[in-house]
């Protein structure tokens, strides 16, 4: 059985029910918007975020859950989808998950509005049901994601980003939403505040590992649905490159910065930068950091009851760092 299927097994029924609810949560009477919603549902991803919501809710209650847990899962998937639609506009990206992006098919102005629509649907789903605690958690994530994207844009211009800034960016743009998933999972079953906060930190730690893995993909040649070297082309400074720049000579640094500034669209030059990062052990360094977060996340579960949901969460943490796509 595939790893994702194995992780889903203890929450199989919940995920099936969630899927039907999720399409409903996107409903609109505007025909164009409905067509785009159909397209979005059709190219859906692995739905890891709803899985985090259900597994956390069930782990902390030893198998219990609440109607609110479904809404929590829908809220995070709506906001996640909104953020990806907007991100592809921000990055001027034509592909997402092997399909054309919304902006590629319908242009930027429609994509921006589609993202706004999805965001409002997520907000309304919580407001209409009085889930203000869940709304508070997801709103923090939306604020941090926007801040993370903006810091990334600002820093990309200067190309002088430090490791601390890198971690600040990935914590905000990626880890915070996974933190919201696990915190919402716990909050949806009325866990105490300490557990909710603890689950936020747990998800955040997984999220850091997740983004480092994503950044490592940019340096690997395997087919992953997106080409390599994109980050360099977009002048995104990620951990492998930051490490390489911190450990090389002044001349080498000058060459790399010049390559990224002035030759970032030159395929041969980008390939040379990738090789340089590999030679400086940038990939090994980033991998080691990622494994640190993986172990930390697993250890954070020690104090929770041993059950099949916890086992699935551990499998999921391992999947985050071992996945090939
Ligand atoms: C992907 O990063 C981007 C994100 C995970 C965050 C995007 C967030 C926003 C656009 C702001 C929040 C907006 C709303 C409406 C909730 P990436 O470009 O490094 O990764 P990619 O390869 O998946 O594009
Ligand atoms: Mg992007």
């Amino acid at each position: 059985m595939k790893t994702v299927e194995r992780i889903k097994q203890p929450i199989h029924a919940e995920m099936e029910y969630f899927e039907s609810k999720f399409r409903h949560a996107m409903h609109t009477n505007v025909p164009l918007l409905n067509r785009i919603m159909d397209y979005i549902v059709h190219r859906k991803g692995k739905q890891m975020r709803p899985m985090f919501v259900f597994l956390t809710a069930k782990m902390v209650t030893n198998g219990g859950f609440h109607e609110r847990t479904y809404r929590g899962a829908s809220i995070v998937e709506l906001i996640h989808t909104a953020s990806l639609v907007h991100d592809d506009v921000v990055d001027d990206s034509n592909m997402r998950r092997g399909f054309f992006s919304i902006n590629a098919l319908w242009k930027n102005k429609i994509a921006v509005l589609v993202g706004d629509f999805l965001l409002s649907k997520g907000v309304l789903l919580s407001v209409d049901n009085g889930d203000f605690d869940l709304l508070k958690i997801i709103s923090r994530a939306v604020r941090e994601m926007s801040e993370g994207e903006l810091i990334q844009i600002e820093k990309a211009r200067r190309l002088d980003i430090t490791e601390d800034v890198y971690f600040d960016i990935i914590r905000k743009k990626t880890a915070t939403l996974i933190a919201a998933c696990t915190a919402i999972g716990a909050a949806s079953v009325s866990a105490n505040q300490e557990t909710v906060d603890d689950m936020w930190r747990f998800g955040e730690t997984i999220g850091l590992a997740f983004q480092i893995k994503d950044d490592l993909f940019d340096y690997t040649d395997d087919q992953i649905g997106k080409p390599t070297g994109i980050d360099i082309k977009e002048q995104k400074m990620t951990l492998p490159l930051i490490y390489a720049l911190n450990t090389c000579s002044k001349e080498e640094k000058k060459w790399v910065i010049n390559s990224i500034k002035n030759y970032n669209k030159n395929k041969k030059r980008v390939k040379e930068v990738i090789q340089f990062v590999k030679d400086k052990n940038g990939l090994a360094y980033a991998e080691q950091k990622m494994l640190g977060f993986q172990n930390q996340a697993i250890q954070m579960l020690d104090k929770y009851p041993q059950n099949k949901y916890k086992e699935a969460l551990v499998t999921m943490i391992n999947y985050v760092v071992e996945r090939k796509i």
Side-chain angles (χ1 to χ4, degrees):
M1 204 190 318
K2 278 195 179 156
T3 313
V4 177
E5 292 310 311
R6 218 171 60 234
I7 297 166
K8 266 192 196 161
Q9 218 172 20
I11 48 163
H12 189 74
E14 288 81 2
M15 285 301 291
E16 295 242 303
Y17 189 58
F18 159 76
E19 289 226 17
S20 62
K21 286 224 152 190
F22 184 60
R23 181 60 187 94
H24 184 74
M26 297 165 99
H27 180 76
T28 158
N29 289 324
V30 179
L32 169 62
L33 205 42
N34 240 336
R35 278 204 303 281
I36 301 176
M37 293 304 121
D38 279 340
Y39 180 71
I40 287 178
V41 169
H42 171 72
R43 56 151 215 196
K44 71 172 195 278
K46 293 181 284 288
Q47 298 185 320
M48 284 176 65
R49 287 160 189 82
M51 284 156 69
F52 275 124
V53 176
F54 287 120
L55 288 172
T56 309
K58 292 199 155 236
M59 177 191 70
V60 299
T61 52
N62 237 326
F65 78 104
H66 198 274
E67 184 68 23
R68 268 157 48 86
T69 313
Y70 283 116
R71 292 199 293 271
S74 291
I75 292 164
V76 297
E77 194 63 7
L78 284 165
I79 300 296
H80 172 56
T81 311
S83 74
L84 296 182
V85 172
H86 278 183
D87 179 67
D88 287 336
V89 174
V90 172
D91 287 348
D92 203 11
S93 172
N94 289 330
M95 297 300 278
R96 167 74 55 192
R97 295 169 180 155
F99 288 87
F100 285 116
S101 61
I102 306 298
N103 46 306
L105 291 176
W106 285 279
K107 301 284 173 250
N108 280 353
K109 49 177 140 185
I110 290 188
V112 169
L113 296 166
V114 166
D116 292 343
F117 170 77
L118 289 165
L119 175 67
S120 71
K121 280 293 209 179
V123 171
L124 280 171
L125 185 59
S126 28
V127 172
D128 288 346
N129 291 285
D131 297 326
F132 296 105
D133 54 339
L134 309 189
L135 182 61
K136 190 171 174 182
I137 297 171
I138 199 70
S139 300
R140 173 177 168 192
V142 174
R143 184 197 71 206
E144 291 190 354
M145 280 193 282
S146 314
E147 288 175 347
E149 289 266 291
L150 281 158
I151 301 171
Q152 178 168 283
I153 293 171
E154 189 193 13
K155 298 294 170 184
R157 286 209 196 109
R158 293 170 50 94
L159 301 183
D160 64 347
I161 143 171
T162 60
E163 224 180 281
D164 282 352
V165 173
Y166 168 78
F167 281 114
D168 188 38
I169 291 172
I170 69 167
R171 175 170 287 120
K172 289 192 162 108
K173 80 164 191 182
T174 308
T176 210
L177 188 58
I178 299 179
C181 294
T182 44
I184 282 176
S188 74
V189 290
S190 304
N192 58 36
Q193 191 58 41
E194 195 188 321
T195 305
V196 175
D197 292 345
D198 197 41
M199 283 296 107
W200 174 281
R201 285 187 293 271
F202 167 65
E204 191 174 66
T205 310
I206 300 171
L208 293 172
F210 182 89
Q211 188 58 48
I212 298 176
K213 178 74 178 183
D214 214 59
D215 292 341
L216 278 164
F217 276 140
D218 207 53
Y219 288 86
T220 52
D221 300 321
D222 307 339
Q223 266 320 102
I224 54 159
K226 49 183 178 187
T228 57
I230 291 280
D231 290 344
I232 296 173
K233 195 173 150 209
E234 290 175 1
Q235 302 182 309
K236 258 184 215 165
M237 311 287 282
T238 64
L239 193 54
L241 180 61
I242 294 166
Y243 177 79
L245 282 175
N246 281 339
T247 49
C248 69
S249 70
K250 262 197 166 145
E251 286 70 37
E252 286 172 319
K253 193 167 177 170
K254 243 177 140 175
W255 175 82
V256 174
I257 299 283
N258 183 33
S259 304
I260 299 173
K261 257 199 184 131
N262 302 312
Y263 302 94
N264 60 326
K265 305 238 157 45
N266 174 331
K267 282 196 176 133
K268 183 167 165 279
R269 193 71 173 253
V270 170
K271 269 206 167 126
E272 283 167 9
V273 174
I274 290 177
Q275 194 53 47
F276 168 84
V277 171
K278 287 180 180 168
D279 292 343
K280 294 287 172 196
N281 292 322
L283 302 193
Y285 179 79
E287 234 153 66
Q288 176 217 319
K289 286 276 174 194
M290 176 181 74
L291 297 181
F293 291 123
Q294 173 191 21
N295 289 330
Q296 217 177 306
I298 292 173
Q299 271 176 27
M300 288 166 101
L301 293 182
D302 279 352
K303 60 176 157 185
Y304 291 93
Q306 191 60 43
N307 52 40
K308 57 185 174 181
Y309 311 105
K310 177 160 143 181
E311 270 169 39
L313 276 172
V314 172
T315 309
M316 211 159 155
I317 298 165
N318 293 333
Y319 173 75
V320 161
V321 307
E322 286 158 13
R323 72 202 154 104
K324 300 270 181 274
I325 185 161

